[in-house]
Amino acid sequence: MNSKTTYAVVDIETTGTDMSVDNRIIQFSCTLVAHGKIVETYVSDINPQREVPERIIQLTGITPERLKKAPTFDQVSSKLYKLLSGTVFVAHNVNFDFPFLNGEFQRVGYPELDIEAIDTVTLSQILLPTLSSYRLQDLSTYFNIIHNHPHTADSDALATAKLLLILLRQVKMLPRRTLEQIIQINPSLPLDTMKVFIQVNDENRSESLAEKLPDQLKLSAGLVLRKREPVLNERQNKTTEAKFPKTRTAKSKILPPHLESRIEQNKMMNMIYNNYASDGHHPAKPLVIEAPTGIGKSLGYSLPFSYLASAQKPVVISTATTYLQFQLQNQTLPLLNQSLPFKINSVILKGASHYIDLNKFRHLLFVADSSVQTAFIKAQILVWLTMTTTGDLDELHLNVEQTPFVWTIQHSGVKWLDANSPFYDEDFLRYNLKKAQNADFIIVNHSYLLKNWQFFSGFPVKPYLLIDETQQFAETAIRNNQKQINPLTVMSAVNRVRGDIQEGHYKSARDAFSGNSVLNNSADDLDESLNQIKSLLKQLTHRLYSQMIANQQLHKNASFFVRLIPISDLKAIINENRETITRLQDKHSEVEDLLIRLNSEIDHSTDAFTNRDYSSIYDFYEDFNEFAEKLTFLLSNIDMDESAINQNVVWVTVNHVKDINSFTINQGILKTEDYLNHRIYASFEPPTFTGATIFSSRRSQFIFNLLGIDRKAASVRRLQSDFDPKNQARIYLIDKQSREHFITNSDDYLQQVAQSIEKIYQASPRQTLVLFNSLKAIEKTHQFLSKDGFTATHLVLAQGVNGTAARLSKQFIHNEPAILLGANTFWEGVDFPAHLLENLIIAQLPFNTPEDPYNHALYSVERSKGKNPFYSLALPKATLRLRQGMGRLLRTKADYGTIFVLDPRLTTKRYGQTILTNLKNEIPVMTGQLDDCINDMVKFFESRN
């Protein structure tokens, strides 16, 4: 491989991907690249002499009639072998195309091609580490490569050739230091792909001149980093001429011309601005604005807050997902900055673990481990560091659960930083916190706001606060305050930390401390304190088990015993264990101080340690952080003041043999209103709440109670959607002929659900999302679909069976048509616009399980108030979630599709009509038998086509 190399960029279409079942090539295409340009193309259909599956015909558009006229592989093999000989073979997923093609050559009597082969997928993943997808179609869109016919070999090969030229230029543009480091860590890449980097590095070495880094890059302690804009301490004031545009005409003069003026969006903008700007005439109120999908909600609040906010009084925008944070920072606000007469400074803030610790990464860069994936990720990060100005690991779209190396380089927090560290001034977390002190817009997610509200309470003037996706904010507040801890796991965590600092243990950090008396003495002190903590934990665990479980009446669940701890008992237990709890808290502070001292000494002795030493040290840090987190968790569950006891509920669980090792303490918040008012809202101006679905009904008090807002003191507005639901969608309520007792999780019902899914999909194969209320129901339904043979011929993605929600979402987007069986986050946290979702099936209404200990406690509180918890809690929550679920279908004016509700309770229960009334949509509803509804669905899609 050199500058004179000819690259043969190949794509093949086949009858299937498994060579062991006699699959064959149906189309071959090759684009030759030499001297930095495309020089020749070749394409041929190939008669496979066997049946082509229907899904391959649909995917490629290549029909059996067309293939009958094509030559067989035997007839074209001589020409193809000659064409490829002496070239470097290139493919987008070379581990498929190259072996498959060689297998065909061998089948007709030729030897395997003895040529180099490289892969554009893994090249793209390393050189473009921040992309979320590496499909050829998506890369083509990213680089504006014309790719009109995906899944046809000629179009795919030409697009891959153009991509290859771009990637080869990208490799040559890498800083020499970065390139050399990638070669040194030697990631495992398909076939000869690594030689691309080696070839460029050899060319660099042949040049006598030293490299001069581009202006946007700098070398810092051995790593090439992107330069960042300095954080200016002087705060810029908006010009006095900058008056908020109150009319739609005035707004249209400011906003870019391609943005249409929307009546409801204009109402939202004025409502927000007037609420806060008129503070001298009337005090600001909490705002609750339900803004349906499609009205431009993000711009609807960003424009007025642009005129209101400043570095002295910023606006904190709390969103539900990292994607929404990215969208605001990189799309909405830059759009405004192009048009407004002043500049908006903004920053995204996340928890410390979202940021890379450069010091850890540098020390671990050349430390090998047993995972092949680690070297690949290191190569990606080296390239990413030349791009990122935030250091936010989320930019890499890595699945942290499956990439343990990422855990070891996550930031632990500013308190662990040493001012003498070579990366102290480059630290990304410090930089972003400093930016936040001078930003107009501070963008966070709900979890960050709920965990770090103290950061904002320290501002000299109360900031503004906007909560986007309000319904998820309330759920996050509940989820963040639900705690579960098994005391045994805390003791196990203590043992791991002690093992890290004791002599004689494999990969012990103590080995790295040899010869340093300060470190050895600190380690001895730490080990002794940890031993004392272990003793106190053992004592506390036995006492808590005795007080909470032994000789108590327990409620038997399916797999464990559970007991709700009465408030009076909880107060007595806390008082009786006060001395032990206090000693544990003191010891916890003591070991934290010891670790900070130990960490400081390590930072001052950097030259004394090898990279492998640092690997052991960082393993020790990781284990210590896990221990500290678990101990804090345990203490927060059993050390509550009077106010916290009244606001929370505590329950304990133990397995059926009442083994103390299974003893678990659980805690959940009962009164979110007190928690949110005293901790969150008190640090801000009266907040603005918005979201596409906030209310379960026009009169319901549910969301106000959940958010802790006085309805009478708030300004409330439900904006109107500008969608055309009568023409965009249909809702089908499947009438259940039999009125006998209905059990939503029964095998009989879930078998009916599976049969209904099959019928609906076979009548019109479209992207289909099926929503359930539990993973167990998904598993059973998937079993029924498999038993029928449906999953063998159709792509069915089942959450909990085929992978996580995030993984299945990606697969669903990239494979059409497909069926996705989902629960939990799929009701509210996903976007599948346009053709990516055309059929929504509600298998089960989203009611919470009343047997859940937390829900049981909530319902008990409602009954004590003289209320029926089904109508005050369960029904409004289910209605709200059903609204959110149905909202998955129509995300833009161009979207269309159908909704099937299989759960018969909407038509058989009295509360079903209440839910239907409160769904607040104008989509036509048809109630009938499944076959009749399917016929109407087919007619609806035909009318749309």
Side-chain angles (χ1 to χ4, degrees):
M1 201 180 302
N2 54 49
S3 58
K4 297 179 181 179
T5 296
T6 296
Y7 297 94
V9 185
V10 171
D11 187 77
I12 56 175
E13 302 300 332
T14 66
T15 57
T17 57
D18 189 352
M19 289 185 63
S20 65
V21 292
D22 200 30
N23 278 306
R24 298 288 170 81
I25 294 173
I26 60 172
Q27 191 178 51
F28 172 92
S29 181
C30 177
T31 300
L32 295 180
V33 173
H35 307 295
K37 60 184 179 181
I38 293 168
V39 295
E40 186 182 338
T41 59
Y42 172 85
V43 63
S44 175
D45 289 347
I46 295 175
N47 187 339
Q49 298 178 298
R50 57 154 291 178
E51 188 178 342
V52 181
E54 182 62 31
R55 61 186 178 84
I56 299 296
I57 297 170
Q58 289 179 0
L59 189 68
T60 63
I62 301 172
T63 63
E65 293 74 24
R66 177 174 151 185
L67 292 174
K68 283 178 184 176
K69 303 172 186 175
T72 65
F73 188 82
D74 199 359
Q75 291 169 330
V76 296
S77 56
S78 174
K79 184 172 185 177
L80 300 188
Y81 201 86
K82 184 178 179 181
L83 178 71
L84 297 174
S85 295
T87 66
V88 171
F89 189 97
V90 182
H92 202 68
N93 188 10
V94 75
N95 279 341
F96 169 72
D97 295 75
F98 196 53
F100 201 109
L101 189 60
N102 266 329
E104 286 288 79
F105 277 130
Q106 286 183 303
R107 182 177 62 81
V108 297
Y110 281 85
E112 287 189 355
L113 285 163
D114 186 18
I115 56 177
E116 293 178 337
I118 62 176
D119 178 52
T120 52
V121 173
T122 45
L123 271 179
S124 300
Q125 289 171 329
I126 288 177
L127 296 169
L128 307 162
T130 60
L131 298 189
S132 59
S133 168
Y134 296 93
R135 287 196 314 166
L136 182 59
Q137 190 174 348
D138 296 323
L139 287 165
S140 298
T141 301
Y142 181 77
F143 285 117
N144 292 319
I145 296 171
I146 296 173
H147 187 206
N148 292 329
H149 303 290
H151 304 297
T152 58
D154 53 343
S155 180
D156 284 355
L158 187 58
T160 304
K162 292 176 180 178
L163 173 65
L164 174 69
L165 290 170
I166 293 169
L167 295 176
L168 292 176
R169 286 197 295 271
Q170 296 268 56
V171 177
K172 290 178 180 179
M173 290 170 63
L174 285 175
R176 290 186 188 178
R177 176 66 66 95
T178 302
L179 182 60
E180 288 167 356
Q181 289 170 332
I182 290 172
I183 292 168
Q184 189 173 347
I185 59 177
N186 193 26
S188 178
L189 304 183
L191 301 175
D192 304 291
T193 307
M194 194 64 204
K195 290 183 180 178
V196 175
F197 295 98
I198 295 169
Q199 167 64 25
V200 174
N201 191 48
D202 290 343
E203 290 173 7
N204 288 342
R205 286 180 176 177
S206 66
E207 297 177 9
S208 57
L209 294 175
E211 180 190 33
K212 183 180 183 297
L213 283 173
D215 291 341
Q216 72 272 21
L217 299 178
K218 64 179 176 180
L219 184 64
S220 179
L223 296 177
V224 180
L225 306 177
R226 189 89 175 183
K227 289 180 181 176
R228 300 175 302 208
E229 291 183 7
V231 178
L232 301 174
N233 288 323
E234 62 269 16
R235 294 175 171 181
Q236 301 173 1
N237 290 316
K238 294 182 174 66
T239 58
T240 54
E241 296 81 21
K243 292 184 178 179
F244 177 72
K246 293 195 173 182
T247 65
R248 286 174 65 197
T249 303
K251 291 182 180 73
S252 65
K253 291 178 181 177
I254 289 176
L255 297 174
H258 67 276
L259 289 178
E260 62 176 303
S261 178
R262 299 169 179 173
I263 295 172
E264 296 297 289
Q265 184 190 64
N266 185 62
K267 289 178 184 176
M268 181 179 186
M269 291 173 173
N270 289 350
M271 190 176 178
I272 291 172
Y273 183 80
N274 292 336
N275 184 57
Y276 299 105
S278 305
D279 199 28
H281 302 289
H282 62 77
K285 297 179 178 181
L287 297 181
V288 185
I289 306 172
E290 187 173 82
T293 302
I295 73 160
K297 170 168 55 76
S298 298
L299 192 61
Y301 58 70
S302 294
L303 181 69
F305 276 119
S306 298
Y307 283 84
L308 291 164
S310 66
Q312 293 87 347
K313 192 179 180 70
V315 58
V316 176
I317 297 181
S318 182
T319 69
T321 63
T322 54
Y323 174 73
L324 286 173
Q325 288 180 286
F326 176 87
Q327 194 176 44
L328 274 171
Q329 175 79 329
N330 297 285
Q331 296 175 21
T332 306
L333 295 181
L335 198 68
L336 287 175
N337 272 332
Q338 291 174 19
S339 312
L340 294 175
F342 49 82
K343 186 174 184 291
I344 308 162
N345 292 314
S346 60
V347 65
I348 292 177
L349 277 189
K350 296 183 180 180
S353 62
H354 288 266
Y355 299 98
I356 188 172
D357 185 316
L358 289 171
N359 215 31
K360 291 179 181 178
F361 178 69
R362 184 193 62 161
H363 287 137
L364 298 177
L365 181 57
F366 300 117
V367 178
D369 69 16
S370 57
S371 172
V372 173
Q373 193 179 29
T374 297
F376 189 88
I377 291 167
K378 287 176 180 177
Q380 286 185 297
I381 292 173
L382 284 168
V383 176
W384 171 64
L385 289 175
T386 68
M387 304 173 175
T388 185
T389 59
T390 67
D392 181 357
L393 289 162
D394 289 341
E395 292 175 357
L396 294 169
H397 305 288
L398 298 171
N399 185 336
V400 178
E401 296 299 320
Q402 297 176 4
T403 50
F405 173 71
V406 177
W407 300 343
T408 64
I409 60 169
Q410 288 175 333
H411 209 297
S412 301
V414 289
K415 74 175 182 179
W416 298 105
L417 291 176
D418 189 295
N420 297 310
S421 164
F423 292 109
Y424 184 76
D425 291 333
E426 309 297 339
D427 188 75
F428 289 109
L429 179 57
R430 280 186 69 246
Y431 177 77
N432 282 287
L433 289 171
K434 195 173 179 183
K435 276 188 76 174
Q437 299 287 351
N438 296 276
D440 305 306
F441 278 57
I442 302 171
I443 306 166
V444 301
N445 64 28
H446 297 334
S447 287
Y448 185 91
L449 176 64
L450 291 160
K451 291 175 182 175
N452 298 278
W453 55 272
Q454 297 97 326
F455 175 74
F456 303 107
S457 66
F459 280 40
V461 180
K462 284 186 176 183
Y464 300 105
L465 175 63
L466 179 126
I467 306 290
D468 197 355
E469 301 298 337
T470 293
Q471 71 285 354
Q472 293 189 46
F473 174 70
E475 292 291 332
T476 305
I478 292 170
R479 202 162 48 243
N480 276 14
N481 282 280
Q482 283 188 340
K483 302 168 185 174
Q484 181 185 73
I485 189 73
N486 179 333
L488 180 69
T489 64
V490 190
M491 285 189 271
S492 298
V494 173
N495 289 336
R496 281 194 295 276
V497 179
R498 293 188 71 200
D500 289 335
I501 55 173
Q502 289 178 346
E503 292 178 306
H505 283 254
Y506 175 67
K507 288 184 68 177
S508 168
R510 182 63 75 105
D511 295 339
F513 300 163
S514 59
N516 187 316
S517 59
V518 175
L519 286 176
N520 276 305
N521 290 337
S522 294
D524 286 339
D525 292 342
L526 185 59
D527 186 45
E528 176 57 31
S529 294
L530 288 168
N531 190 37
Q532 292 172 21
I533 286 175
K534 182 181 176 182
S535 178
L536 289 168
L537 281 171
K538 190 173 182 181
Q539 178 185 329
L540 180 63
T541 301
H542 281 87
R543 194 179 297 151
L544 289 173
Y545 179 85
S546 175
Q547 293 164 331
M548 293 178 164
I549 295 287
N551 303 316
Q552 300 290 346
Q553 186 173 352
L554 306 177
H555 176 72
K556 188 175 182 179
N557 270 1
S559 56
F560 54 84
F561 285 114
V562 63
R563 178 180 175 234
L564 200 63
I565 308 298
I567 287 178
S568 57
D569 287 12
L570 187 59
K571 289 178 181 178
I573 289 167
I574 291 172
N575 286 333
E576 289 171 23
N577 292 287
R578 171 55 55 203
E579 183 184 346
T580 306
I581 292 169
T582 302
R583 288 178 65 193
L584 272 171
Q585 289 168 333
D586 292 343
K587 282 292 171 186
H588 187 192
S589 299
E590 184 180 299
V591 294
E592 288 266 359
D593 291 340
L594 281 168
L595 190 70
I596 290 171
R597 274 169 39 200
L598 194 143
N599 182 60
S600 179
E601 178 62 26
I602 289 170
D603 283 342
H604 284 88
S605 310
T606 51
D607 294 338
F609 304 114
T610 66
N611 287 332
R612 191 161 293 283
D613 288 337
Y614 274 109
S615 178
S616 299
I617 290 168
Y618 290 145
D619 283 347
F620 158 57
Y621 284 168
E622 189 179 335
D623 288 340
F624 184 90
N625 285 335
E626 184 184 351
F627 147 72
E629 187 178 292
K630 287 182 182 296
L631 181 57
T632 301
F633 223 51
L634 174 64
L635 292 173
S636 67
N637 265 11
I638 57 174
D639 182 33
M640 293 184 281
D641 58 23
E642 187 86 14
S643 172
I645 290 172
N646 291 324
Q647 287 181 24
N648 290 273
V649 58
V650 173
W651 67 97
V652 291
T653 57
V654 68
N655 64 15
H656 282 162
V657 296
K658 299 182 182 179
D659 178 9
I660 191 171
N661 292 328
S662 69
F663 171 50
T664 302
I665 305 169
N666 308 267
Q667 185 191 113
I669 191 167
L670 280 176
K671 300 178 180 178
T672 50
E673 61 270 27
D674 293 343
Y675 169 79
L676 293 173
N677 273 297
H678 296 154
R679 297 197 177 192
I680 313 298
Y681 307 153
S683 303
F684 298 92
E685 291 285 351
T688 293
F689 300 91
T690 189
T693 47
I694 297 178
F695 302 104
S696 56
S697 71
R698 189 165 57 87
R699 296 180 181 177
S700 175
Q701 186 65 26
F702 174 72
I703 195 67
F704 295 98
N705 291 341
L706 205 57
L707 294 172
I709 303 171
D710 181 352
R711 186 173 192 160
K712 294 177 182 176
S715 292
V716 180
R717 178 68 66 91
R718 298 183 81 175
L719 301 176
Q720 299 300 310
S721 171
D722 59 356
F723 286 2
D724 182 15
K726 290 181 181 177
N727 292 312
Q728 285 183 259
R730 294 288 183 272
I731 294 176
Y732 301 109
L733 308 182
I734 306 308
D735 197 20
K736 190 170 183 282
Q737 289 178 324
S738 173
R739 300 279 165 165
E740 76 271 7
H741 184 57
F742 166 76
I743 303 174
T744 185
N745 275 320
S746 68
D747 284 1
D748 286 346
Y749 175 66
L750 293 176
Q751 187 165 23
Q752 289 175 32
V753 167
Q755 291 166 353
S756 299
I757 293 169
E758 292 174 19
K759 277 190 170 184
I760 294 166
Y761 187 81
Q762 286 168 340
S764 185
R766 296 175 182 274
Q767 288 290 91
T768 301
L769 173 63
V770 189
L771 292 176
F772 291 83
N773 205 23
S774 72
L775 294 178
K776 191 173 182 180
I778 290 176
E779 184 182 358
K780 281 186 179 180
T781 304
H782 187 266
Q783 287 172 0
F784 287 126
L785 291 169
S786 299
K787 194 174 179 181
D788 289 348
F790 187 78
T791 57
T793 54
H794 302 83
L795 181 59
V796 180
L797 305 168
Q799 185 182 359
V801 177
N802 304 112
T804 63
R807 180 183 172 189
L808 295 187
S809 294
K810 284 185 180 180
Q811 285 184 264
F812 186 64
I813 289 169
H814 295 155
N815 293 277
E816 298 177 53
I819 301 170
L820 198 162
L821 313 182
N824 306 324
T825 57
F826 284 106
W827 284 94
E828 57 190 30
V830 292
D831 263 341
F832 299 126
H835 59 89
L836 293 178
L837 178 60
E838 292 180 331
N839 219 334
L840 179 69
I841 300 175
I842 309 292
Q844 297 170 309
L845 295 181
F847 283 106
N848 279 347
T849 308
E851 290 79 18
D852 177 89
Y854 176 69
N855 290 329
H856 179 70
L858 283 179
Y859 296 170
S860 297
V861 171
E862 288 298 287
R863 290 190 193 96
S864 70
K865 296 176 183 175
K867 297 180 180 179
N868 183 332
F870 179 79
Y871 288 100
S872 63
L873 289 179
L875 186 59
K877 193 169 185 178
T879 303
L880 186 57
R881 208 155 195 223
L882 186 60
R883 285 191 66 204
Q884 293 164 0
M886 288 186 169
R888 301 303 95 205
L889 184 67
L890 303 181
R891 309 303 292 171
T892 71
K893 286 183 181 180
D895 293 352
Y896 61 90
T898 57
I899 301 171
F900 283 80
V901 182
L902 304 181
D903 193 319
R905 288 175 288 182
L906 275 189
T907 56
T908 61
K909 298 290 184 180
R910 279 189 297 176
Y911 61 75
Q913 189 56 49
T914 305
I915 293 175
L916 288 171
T917 303
N918 291 322
L919 287 180
K920 196 180 180 287
N921 64 50
E922 298 172 16
I923 300 174
V925 178
M926 173 180 172
T927 302
Q929 298 300 305
L930 181 63
D931 289 344
D932 295 333
C933 292
I934 288 174
N935 290 335
D936 193 79
M937 172 197 72
V938 172
K939 291 176 184 176
F940 170 77
F941 282 122
E942 286 174 352
S943 70
R944 295 296 308 189
N945 293 334

